[in-house]
Amino acid sequence: MKQDIRDLFTNEEGSGSQLPEHHRQEFYDKLKASRPKRKSSLSRNYLLKMAAVILLFLALTFVINTTTDKVSNQIADESVMETQINAIEKQYLTNIDDEWQNFIRITDDDTLVKRYKQKLDDLDKDYKEISNQFKADQNNILVVEALVDNLKTRLQLLKDIQEHIKVLNQKNEHYETISI
């Protein structure tokens, strides 16, 4: 009873018959109907969660953007003149402090030290007030001139201190030469 399968299909009468015209569509329709219906993945809770995440992202982006704008504006607002004045002030105050320490080390006169200390403190207090005014209104030429005048006064005071140091050094040398 062994037969070739190819011969079996060629001998049959129904092998040449065609399927109905809508057979393929009917098959797909039945296949779709037999599948279980799945629920929509876009449920209300899922949409609310996504909306909350998007809203949170936008809010965070806005906060970061405004913060960086403020920081960049503050950096941009600091003018070239202000940076130069700050650099000069730092250098000048360092020099004043060095000279002041030399003056204190050399002199024994407490009243002289107190007098110059009081003058330096007063000038420092005035400079801080003028500096605050300068930060408030950087375009006011009168404030800039007041800053410069204060620095000039400090410079003159520094020169006076240096002159006193020279006088004290001469006195010390004079006493040393006499005692020899």
Side-chain angles (χ1 to χ4, degrees), residues 10-54:
T10 57
N11 294 339
E12 278 189 24
E13 295 176 9
S15 68
S17 66
Q18 292 289 331
L19 293 174
E21 214 174 282
H22 300 290
H23 174 71
R24 186 171 287 220
Q25 186 61 36
E26 289 175 7
F27 176 75
Y28 284 134
D29 291 340
K30 286 180 183 179
L31 188 61
K32 283 182 184 179
S34 68
R35 269 195 289 179
K37 292 186 179 184
R38 58 180 186 170
K39 294 181 179 179
S40 173
S41 63
L42 298 176
S43 67
R44 181 176 290 206
N45 287 337
Y46 182 75
L47 289 176
L48 287 176
K49 288 178 185 177
M50 289 302 294
V53 168
I54 291 171

Side-chain angles (χ1 to χ4, degrees), residues 80-122:
V80 174
M81 184 186 308
E82 185 177 359
T83 56
Q84 289 176 348
I85 288 175
N86 287 338
I88 291 170
E89 177 187 17
K90 286 179 185 178
Q91 180 182 11
Y92 187 74
L93 291 177
T94 304
N95 290 338
I96 285 178
D97 189 46
D98 291 343
E99 292 298 325
W100 179 251
Q101 294 303 322
N102 288 338
F103 178 70
I104 290 175
R105 190 180 65 232
I106 292 174
T107 187
D108 293 330
D109 190 4
D110 289 336
T111 57
L112 188 62
V113 171
K114 287 180 184 177
R115 187 178 82 196
Y116 280 119
K117 179 67 175 164
Q118 182 63 35
K119 285 182 182 180
L120 282 174
D121 288 344
D122 290 342

